[in-house]
């Protein structure tokens, strides 16, 4: 997952899009991993609901958070579990906040500047792994 996530982050930075083959590959691996972990029924229900919710947020915000970001977050839930992935999401927002603040303070961009979110998810994912996640 780490390699695919890093490659997807690079693609998101370069092209502002995540190739579908990366999403399908990561999703297939995550699904198989979760099956072999023998996750309980409530896990699959929560995963389905949270995945649908994040994709609805992507749609409602006209992709302020892109579909690729939402799908990769959903796939990370399969690998990390629900609670660790919520920490990843919160840490990613903290990283994005500090990046945005630094960009605004230096005056290099304005408040309307858009940037990919997946690299922040990747950094938060790596932080979770190094913490023992």
């Amino acid at each position: 997952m780490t390699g695919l996530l890093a490659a997807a982050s690079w693609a998101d930075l370069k092209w502002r899009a995540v190739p579908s083959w990366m999403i399908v590959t990561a999703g297939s691996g995550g699904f198989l991993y979760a099956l072999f972990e023998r996750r309980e029924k409530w896990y699959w229900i929560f995963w389905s609901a949270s995945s649908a919710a994040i994709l609805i947020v992507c749609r409602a915000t006209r992709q302020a958070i892109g579909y690729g970001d939402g799908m990769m977050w959903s796939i990370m839930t399969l690998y990390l579990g629900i609670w660790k992935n919520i920490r990843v999401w919160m840490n990613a927002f903290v990283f994005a906040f500090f990046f945005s603040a630094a960009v605004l303070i230096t005056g290099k961009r304005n408040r309307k500047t858009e940037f990919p979110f997946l690299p922040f998810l990747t950094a938060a994912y790596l932080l979770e792994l190094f913490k023992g996640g």
Side-chain angles (χ1 to χ4, degrees), residues 50-64:
S50 66
S51 297
I54 192 63
L55 293 176
I56 288 169
V57 167
C58 293
R59 172 93 173 159
T61 62
R62 294 189 179 118
Q63 290 198 51

Side-chain angles (χ1 to χ4, degrees), residues 46 73 76-77 79-96 117 120-133:
F46 183 83
W73 179 80
M76 285 185 339
T77 305
Y79 288 97
L80 290 176
I82 295 162
W83 301 113
K84 288 179 184 176
N85 208 41
I86 289 172
R87 277 198 311 260
V88 165
W89 191 254
M90 290 187 324
N91 285 333
F93 276 115
V94 169
F95 293 158
F117 187 66
F120 299 107
L121 274 176
T122 302
Y125 175 79
L126 291 172
L127 177 68
E128 189 64 33
L129 287 182
F130 289 131
K131 282 180 21 184

Side-chain angles (χ1 to χ4, degrees), residues 27-125:
S28 300
F31 186 75
L32 290 173
Y33 177 79
L35 280 177
F36 287 122
E37 285 284 309
R38 299 181 192 261
R39 305 276 167 107
E40 297 176 19
K41 183 169 52 170
W42 67 268
Y43 177 86
W44 291 104
I45 292 168
F46 183 83
W47 175 75
S48 299
S50 66
S51 297
I54 192 63
L55 293 176
I56 288 169
V57 167
C58 293
R59 172 93 173 159
T61 62
R62 294 189 179 118
Q63 290 198 51
I65 296 174
Y67 288 118
D69 301 324
M71 286 189 264
M72 290 305 273
W73 179 80
S74 176
I75 292 166
M76 285 185 339
T77 305
L78 293 171
Y79 288 97
L80 290 176
I82 295 162
W83 301 113
K84 288 179 184 176
N85 208 41
I86 289 172
R87 277 198 311 260
V88 165
W89 191 254
M90 290 187 324
N91 285 333
F93 276 115
V94 169
F95 293 158
F97 167 78
F98 283 116
F99 174 80
S100 299
V103 166
L104 285 173
I105 289 170
T106 60
K108 295 189 181 206
R109 303 278 191 264
N110 63 29
R111 67 181 186 85
K112 300 237 182 216
T113 301
E114 296 179 358
F115 51 87
F117 187 66
L118 195 53
F120 299 107
L121 274 176
T122 302
Y125 175 79

